[in-house]
Amino acid sequence: MAIFVPEVAAPYLMKEIDKRLVISNAALDISADVPEIEWKGSEITFPVYSRVAVASQVDSKGSVTPTEIDGSSATAAIKHFAAAVKYHKDTLRQSGGPILQNMAITDLADAIALKLDADLMETAIAGATLKAACAEADAITQDELEAAFALFGDKQNANEFAGVYINSKLFPSLLAMDGFTATGLTYTTPNNGIVQGQCVGFYRGAPVWLTDNSNRSGSAPECKTLIVKHGGLGKARKAEPEFSEEYHATTFYTDVVADVYGAHKVLDDSKVVLLAKTITG
């Protein structure tokens, strides 16, 4: 009762997953650099680089002292992400293969993309060392957002930012900020507030992304906002998802299963800022 060709379905599913990712699009993808042998273990290695060079004025016939590059690395656990759906023989008879194919691929892509994004969001929140506090659990002010940006010091170039990732409960707060919607300011962007592809606009040139994935939790839920620069987060995935079908003759159901192995890491904690009411560490 198979309606999928795994060799065709797997790459198509991966494309559908990628279309649905939000914060994962901010991560540096090192998949191509991970040796196949590492995927057979429990961890993979992410390269970590810290700038160490220091420039100095050299007097006549003087010299400069080299600083050794820190060639250290960091490991991240390999995690197994999977999703499954099933359909009955009667459903196939009534609906037809193409409809079921589209429904299954869409459902599996949504589920896996949400899980991949959730894992990276949780990794980024846990690994952030630059933190700013806000007064309310489900609201944010422009001053609080500016205080978070200030943690980047003089490195606030718009093109360095992958984005600001906010929970939808903070959207009204954003719309109330002059720095986001006022038309008389040189650093606001036309059409801010109109959501397209999860992007709600730009704050001082940095894209603002809307996501409710694993950024509001706990016994007393509060929103956690991330400001991420390019190169701050890393991800790796083992090739394409594995895709399989299994028909159960006694129940007339067919299981459709997709799974993928991946890992996430904060590569540079100077490029990730967390903004939340409760700040620890």
Side-chain angles (χ1 to χ4, degrees):
M1 302 300 295
I3 60 174
F4 291 98
V5 178
E7 294 77 10
V8 176
Y12 178 65
L13 176 64
M14 193 71 261
K15 290 181 181 179
E16 290 298 305
I17 290 172
D18 287 339
K19 283 164 53 176
R20 290 160 169 78
L21 297 173
V22 183
I23 192 169
S24 291
N25 291 328
L28 176 65
D29 190 351
I30 69 159
S31 302
D33 298 322
V34 179
E36 180 64 26
I37 188 66
E38 285 204 30
W39 288 110
K40 299 183 184 299
S42 59
E43 295 180 326
I44 65 169
T45 302
F46 281 85
V48 176
Y49 176 73
S50 299
R51 187 180 66 82
V52 296
V54 178
S56 59
Q57 178 179 323
V58 180
D59 296 329
S60 178
K61 297 183 180 180
S63 62
V64 63
T65 302
T67 306
E68 182 178 358
I69 291 176
D70 179 7
S72 64
S73 58
T75 58
I78 296 173
K79 298 180 180 180
H80 190 193
F81 305 97
V85 294
K86 65 180 182 179
Y87 62 87
H88 195 272
K89 184 176 182 180
D90 285 345
T91 307
L92 176 62
R93 176 178 58 82
Q94 295 165 359
S95 301
I99 293 177
L100 277 181
Q101 284 178 327
N102 184 62
M103 290 172 60
I105 289 289
T106 299
D107 208 8
L108 292 170
D110 283 342
I112 294 178
L114 281 171
K115 195 61 180 176
L116 289 169
D117 253 11
D119 189 71
L120 181 56
M121 178 69 75
E122 292 162 6
T123 298
I125 290 173
T129 58
L130 298 177
K131 303 176 183 181
C134 53
E136 302 295 332
D138 292 332
I140 188 174
T141 68
Q142 184 167 327
D143 287 343
E144 290 167 346
L145 189 55
E146 284 295 330
F149 270 92
L151 294 176
F152 292 110
D154 64 349
K155 304 300 182 185
Q156 298 184 39
N157 301 296
N159 62 355
E160 294 182 24
F161 290 97
V164 182
Y165 297 83
I166 67 168
N167 187 279
S168 62
K169 285 188 174 293
L170 299 181
F171 196 14
S173 296
L174 196 68
L175 293 174
M177 295 181 188
D178 287 343
F180 187 69
T181 56
T183 58
L185 300 176
T186 60
Y187 53 86
T188 56
T189 303
N191 298 321
N192 270 357
I194 299 175
V195 185
Q196 298 184 59
Q198 298 304 121
C199 183
V200 305
F202 296 81
Y203 185 84
R204 291 211 279 113
V208 182
W209 302 93
L210 205 62
T211 174
D212 290 346
N213 204 345
S214 293
N215 58 3
R216 186 178 183 271
S217 58
S219 56
E222 62 179 75
C223 294
K224 298 182 186 299
T225 299
L226 285 174
I227 307 175
V228 181
K229 284 188 171 187
H230 296 295
L233 304 176
K235 66 179 180 182
R237 285 201 297 256
K238 185 180 184 296
E240 294 169 346
E242 295 185 13
F243 197 94
S244 62
E245 283 182 275
E246 183 179 4
Y247 177 63
H248 304 278
T250 58
T251 63
F252 306 104
Y253 273 100
T254 298
D255 294 337
V256 183
V257 183
D259 66 304
V260 63
Y261 289 87
H264 299 115
K265 191 73 177 178
V266 174
L267 297 182
D268 188 342
D269 58 9
S270 71
K271 294 182 177 181
V272 180
V273 166
L274 170 65
L275 178 59
K277 180 182 179 182
T278 302
I279 297 297
T280 58

